[in-house]
Amino acid sequence: MTRLAAAFAKGRPALVCFITAGDGDTAANLDALVAGGADVIELGMPFTDPMADGPAIQAANLRSLGRGTTTREVLMIANEFRERHPDVPLVLMGYANPMIRRGPEWFAGECAGCGVDGVICVDIPPEEDPELGPSLRAAGVDLIRLATPTTDAARLPAVLDGSSGFVYYVSVAGITGKQQAATASVADNVARIKRSTDLPVAVGFGVRTPEQAAALARVADGVVVGSALVELVAEHGASAPEHLKSLTRSLAEVVHSATLENHSSLRA
Amino acid sequence: MTEQKPNSFRNQPDERGHFGQFGGRYVAETLMPLILELDREYRAAKADPAFKAEFDDLLEHYVGRPSPLYYAPRLTEALRESAPEGMGAQIWFKRDELNHTGAHKINNCVGQILLAMRMGKTRIIAETGAGQHGVATATVCARFGLPCTIFMGATDVARQQPNVFRMKLLGAQVVPVTSGAATLKDAMNEALRDWVANVHDTFYIIGTAAGPHPYPELVRDFQSVIGTEARAQMLSRTGRLPDLLVAAIGGGSNAIGLFHPFLDDPEVGMLGVEAAGHGLDKQHAASLAGGFPGVLHGNKTYLLQDEDGQIAEAHSISAGLDYPGIGPEHAWLKETGRVEYTSATDTEALDAFQLLCRTEGIIPALEPSHAIAAIVKRAREMPEDSIILANLCGRGDKDIFTVAEALGVEM
Ligand SMILES: Cc1ncc(COP(=O)(O)O)c(C=O)c1O
């Protein structure tokens, strides 16, 4: 069983935590997320033009690049994380251009070598899969695709075809940040996706508080929290780890104890 | 790769929106269904004679087409003075600066707003650099009564005040974008962010022949009126085709609009002129000359970027050329060798700007001044009976403050 599969097979919903690589003391911040109870780490690869992100993650990207973060450093952060945490899955999330700059085979090979379990690429839809997908699959790295409220029934099979690891359901048509989706519509959409795949479905975008996370954990296999954590990094700098750990802990408590309405482990 | 010479240069892109390895649809999943719908709707509109009739009618009576084809006698003479005996091509201009709103941008905006209405969209967004596309978009929105939001980098808002005021007069909301270097690239990011959040009712009028498929194709098609008219005008005035077409390139819409109808005329050479800014070894906006293939803003194309794929800030004195990418069809035309690409610096463009003012009594925009700068070099290498046809794609009223500042003149 892969690390990602194991993280979603604990008999309870998973908490997925996002921060941007190179923003603050990333190693210490990642350790705090794990200590707080994160089941999956999403590490953002900084990009100059983060088109799908709201102000908080945009600013994190620019702070990181302002400090001179390189692709090699991002991979090194992942590699060192893997050494410290052999069992916690880590996925890289970012935009196409930094991933394909040296060729997709190079990137996929580096990911595999650094213990990266999966990759989420915002701007490579199934239509452009040849740009990255075949290289990741050949290297044994999961390609985690995004499904959104606009992904209709006709498109869903194409989105799922070639996806692995988990499916990331973007709960709002919009960018990362503050707006939040109605739980009822998320429940319907997650159920719709789960009728078409055995992959776990995690829900993200706009999830900030334990209350929101608890509601979503009742209808999905995982909940993704990003901007709220990234804001703590911005606000607290060197003392961010303790704040990250405490928010992660309160999120993990409610997510892990949510009643399982849609959970994949109940399907068999 | 198998090297297969296409028998036509005019049948791109393929059905997936690829021009060779360039183009495509690199967008977030949220936008994908809308992009596919736009593609279907564009095919339907293209096949609908009523759509074409309405487009043509607006171009004639609202935009003021056809624009004249003009022989520039004094510029031709001025360039012959320093040319070797018997050399110095005739210079002709396609005068799209005489269009309503002062540039070629309006051709595309008329086409796209008709598409938007056909798709039942009720709100328009656009990005703008120099403000010309913003003004053209605000204009068609006023004409058809649709609300309009224009994203413009805060840096550009500051250096293009007259156009900001024009957009406001036309009823548009202008949103200054402060992220990044606060120029065109950042305005485009912000427009895309708005769009993903408002796909249900919003149409994004992209201002150049770039972005996700089908934008590069449809913008080219709407702008091809330039080349189609020019080809017929040149044939009827001189009985022949030009030897060389010249156009400035920001994203490449005025250039592809001029070039495309001539692509299968092998005797017609073509020269695209990028902005070399302070120089190709310094900060510039020449993505073909100084960039590498990559993915940004929905398409794969040449981009100014570092070894990690981070996008570089472009620089040009011309806000309309100040973009680190280029439309994918130009990337493909460069690779096939059908079109030649060169560049002109800020200083060369400023000189060319003044030259046209004084020889022809035409104040050009800084964008086509780059094309004129390239002509200054080329004309003297071509015999007197040869013809250069350049796209005078915008007038310079918007640029007089920038030019005054560059020349050290207090206004
Ligand atoms: C007059 C004029 N020419 C050219 C351009 C560059 O765009 P494109 O390369 O798409 O023609 C602009 C853009 O603002 C413009 O205003």
Side-chain angles (χ1 to χ4, degrees):
Chain A
M1 195 185 283
T2 66
R3 277 186 287 262
L4 271 174
F8 285 100
K10 294 179 184 167
R12 52 165 171 76
L15 175 64
V16 183
C17 290
F18 172 97
I19 57 171
T20 300
D23 179 29
D25 181 346
T26 309
N29 291 341
L30 290 174
D31 290 350
L33 299 177
V34 174
D39 299 291
V40 178
I41 298 293
E42 248 182 56
L43 184 62
M45 290 182 71
F47 183 46
T48 39
D49 295 85
M51 276 121 13
D53 285 298
I57 297 179
Q58 280 177 49
N61 277 265
L62 297 183
R63 280 194 302 272
S64 173
L65 293 173
R67 295 175 38 167
T69 305
T70 63
T71 299
R72 278 181 202 288
E73 279 161 19
V74 174
L75 291 164
M76 205 145 59
I77 289 169
N79 197 39
E80 289 168 7
F81 177 89
R82 178 56 58 237
E83 283 166 11
R84 296 195 305 281
H85 305 282
D87 301 325
V88 182
L90 180 143
V91 307
L92 289 179
M93 176 161 189
Y95 294 83
N97 204 46
M99 295 183 184
I100 64 172
R101 179 70 174 92
R102 294 180 177 86
E105 301 82 13
W106 180 87
F107 180 68
E110 289 293 313
C111 285
C114 293
V116 170
D117 300 283
V119 168
I120 304 172
C121 182
V122 174
D123 51 350
I124 298 191
E127 281 76 2
E128 303 295 346
D129 186 69
E131 200 65 61
L132 185 61
S135 301
L136 289 175
R137 285 186 279 273
V141 176
D142 286 320
L143 172 66
I144 296 148
R145 288 235 184 81
L146 305 164
T148 71
T150 60
T151 309
D152 55 25
R155 264 190 80 65
L156 188 57
V159 170
L160 296 173
D161 181 29
S163 292
S164 59
F166 64 95
V167 176
Y168 188 142
Y169 179 66
V170 174
S171 64
V172 288
I175 53 179
T176 57
K178 297 207 160 127
Q179 67 308 29
Q180 46 175 293
T183 310
S185 80
V186 175
D188 288 349
N189 277 304
V190 172
R192 181 167 67 90
I193 296 167
K194 290 184 74 67
R195 280 195 295 276
S196 305
T197 180
D198 290 332
L199 292 172
V201 179
V203 179
F205 278 44
V207 189
R208 305 182 58 81
T209 64
E211 293 69 40
Q212 294 167 328
L216 292 173
R218 279 193 283 277
V219 300
D221 304 305
V223 178
V224 189
V225 179
S227 295
L229 296 165
V230 165
E231 283 167 19
L232 291 179
V233 175
E235 196 181 331
H236 298 288
S239 60
E242 55 182 287
H243 297 274
L244 290 172
K245 186 170 152 189
S246 115
L247 176 58
T248 305
R249 176 159 290 154
S250 56
L251 290 163
E253 262 166 27
V254 294
V255 167
H256 291 160
S257 61
T259 336
L260 315 170
E261 288 173 21
N262 254 342
H263 200 237
S264 56
S265 58
L266 297 184
R267 292 152 46 94
Chain B
M1 241 170 50
T2 52
E3 193 55 50
Q4 204 179 21
K5 196 99 183 131
N7 39 27
S8 171
F9 287 97
R10 303 185 66 223
N11 54 18
Q12 301 285 320
D14 66 19
E15 72 285 352
R16 293 170 55 231
H18 290 240
F19 302 85
Q21 66 154 315
F22 301 106
R25 292 175 282 215
Y26 296 86
V27 296
E29 173 61 24
T30 310
L31 290 177
M32 226 19 245
L34 181 64
I35 293 283
L36 294 171
E37 188 196 337
L38 174 62
D39 193 32
R40 279 191 299 275
E41 203 57 52
Y42 180 56
R43 303 290 143 217
K46 229 173 154 168
D48 179 357
F51 183 86
K52 183 172 168 16
E54 192 172 9
F55 179 63
D56 290 347
D57 184 75
L58 282 160
L59 287 190
E60 180 179 351
H61 301 292
Y62 188 62
V63 174
R65 304 205 71 95
S67 65
L69 182 74
Y70 171 68
Y71 171 59
R74 294 196 65 241
L75 178 63
T76 300
E77 279 314 313
L79 297 181
R80 278 178 186 167
E81 269 165 30
S82 64
E85 185 62 25
M87 302 296 268
Q90 298 174 24
I91 317 296
W92 294 66
F93 287 114
K94 180 62 174 162
R95 298 207 47 198
D96 258 51
E97 101 281 12
L98 294 176
N99 291 341
H100 180 41
T101 72
H104 67 292
K105 298 285 180 186
I106 189 88
N107 303 328
N108 167 47
C109 290
V110 168
Q112 286 201 47
I113 201 157
L114 293 179
L115 257 185
M117 291 186 298
R118 202 184 157 95
M119 290 175 75
K121 300 297 180 190
T122 54
R123 173 177 176 262
I124 301 293
I125 58 170
E127 86 296 340
T128 196
Q132 286 306 106
H133 175 59
V135 167
T137 303
T139 297
V140 297
C141 287
R143 168 66 182 75
F144 288 99
L146 293 185
C148 162
T149 301
I150 306 289
F151 295 92
M152 186 169 187
T155 306
D156 292 334
V157 169
R159 61 177 166 172
Q160 303 286 337
Q161 275 299 323
N163 272 345
V164 174
F165 186 57
R166 266 181 208 118
M167 287 185 264
K168 289 181 178 167
L169 284 173
L170 292 161
Q173 184 199 359
V174 180
V175 179
V177 177
T178 53
S179 58
T183 59
L184 181 55
K185 163 172 90 78
D186 311 289
M188 195 146 182
N189 290 336
E190 207 56 34
L192 285 165
R193 290 183 187 115
D194 181 294
W195 202 24
V196 269
N198 297 289
V199 270
H200 55 287
D201 68 351
T202 297
F203 190 98
Y204 181 10
I205 298 189
I206 294 184
T208 191
H213 175 68
Y215 280 101
E217 179 186 352
L218 66 87
V219 174
R220 173 198 75 199
D221 291 349
F222 293 140
Q223 290 293 5
S224 288
V225 66
I226 300 171
T228 303
E229 284 176 6
R231 195 172 181 285
Q233 287 166 321
M234 187 59 88
L235 283 172
S236 88
R237 297 272 296 279
T238 68
R240 53 168 294 202
L241 293 175
D243 298 286
L244 183 67
L245 305 176
V246 185
I249 300 203
S253 69
N254 88 82
I256 201 71
L258 177 65
F259 295 169
H260 197 260
F262 292 91
L263 282 175
D264 288 337
D265 297 315
E267 68 271 41
V268 180
M270 301 180 194
L271 182 64
V273 187
E274 298 189 289
H278 298 310
L280 288 181
D281 55 344
K282 304 191 184 73
Q283 239 200 339
H284 62 83
S287 21
L288 289 177
F292 301 92
V295 168
L296 181 71
H297 293 154
N299 57 182
K300 185 173 195 186
T301 188
Y302 278 82
L303 300 171
L304 298 180
Q305 55 179 314
D306 70 10
E307 60 182 22
D308 276 341
Q310 305 297 349
I311 308 302
E313 294 300 342
H315 163 78
S316 170
I317 189 171
S318 144
L321 306 183
D322 200 351
Y323 179 71
I326 183 168
E329 192 158 15
H330 287 290
W332 177 76
L333 287 168
K334 175 197 156 90
E335 289 212 340
T336 59
R338 176 63 186 94
V339 177
E340 183 190 350
Y341 294 87
T342 184
S343 61
T345 63
D346 288 355
T347 311
E348 290 167 335
L350 277 168
D351 290 345
F353 174 98
Q354 297 170 81
L355 179 65
L356 194 72
C357 289
R358 288 194 302 255
T359 55
E360 296 293 342
I362 298 172
I363 302 178
L366 281 170
E367 291 82 14
S369 296
H370 287 71
I372 299 164
I375 293 172
V376 169
K377 293 184 184 167
R378 278 310 160 93
R380 64 169 57 105
E381 297 167 3
M382 296 168 64
E384 281 187 354
D385 61 356
S386 59
I387 293 178
I388 293 178
L389 166 55
N391 200 3
L392 195 47
C393 59
R395 59 178 175 244
D397 313 34
K398 70 182 174 65
D399 291 319
I400 55 173
F401 299 100
T402 307
V403 171
E405 196 186 316
L407 299 178
V409 177
E410 283 271 357
M411 300 236 304

